[in-house]
Amino acid sequence: MFAIAVWDHRERSLWLVRDRIGVKPLYYSIHHGRITFASEIKALLLDPEQEIRIREDRSTITCHF
C-alpha cells in the first residue's frame, strides 16, 4: 500500500501515484494556484482555503476539488 508524489523539475510536472491494489485512495484538490493531496478527505478539509458546500437537498457534504 503506497502513494507517492514525484516532482519533475525539468518538465515542471507533478505525478501523483498510488498502487492499484492498495486500500487507501488518493484524493487531491487544485485551488488558489496550488495542489493539495492526501489519502483521506478530512486531511484536505484542514486547509482553511478549501471550498466546502453543504447541499441542502442531500444529507452529504460536497467538496469541490
Side-chain angles (χ1 to χ4, degrees), residues 29-43:
S29 172
I30 302 172
H31 64 284
H32 301 293
R34 61 192 176 115
I35 183 169
T36 55
F37 56 94
S39 61
E40 296 182 357
I41 290 179
K42 66 182 179 181

Side-chain angles (χ1 to χ4, degrees), residues 44-47 49-54 61-64:
L44 294 179
L45 297 179
L46 293 175
D47 181 355
E49 296 182 5
Q50 178 63 53
E51 180 181 349
I52 302 169
R53 292 185 189 160
I54 298 175
I61 296 176
T62 302
C63 301
H64 295 269

Side-chain angles (χ1 to χ4, degrees), residues 1-60:
M1 171 169 63
F2 70 87
I4 60 171
V6 178
W7 172 251
D8 185 335
H9 183 70
R10 211 171 308 151
E11 295 290 324
R12 296 191 49 81
S13 62
L14 178 68
W15 288 78
L16 296 177
V17 182
R18 68 172 286 264
D19 65 331
R20 296 175 63 175
I21 301 174
V23 197
K24 294 211 175 221
L26 178 63
Y27 298 103
Y28 68 93
S29 172
I30 302 172
H31 64 284
H32 301 293
R34 61 192 176 115
I35 183 169
T36 55
F37 56 94
S39 61
E40 296 182 357
I41 290 179
K42 66 182 179 181
L44 294 179
L45 297 179
L46 293 175
D47 181 355
E49 296 182 5
Q50 178 63 53
E51 180 181 349
I52 302 169
R53 292 185 189 160
I54 298 175
R55 296 190 54 170
E56 296 190 22
D57 62 331
R58 297 185 180 159
S59 62
T60 61

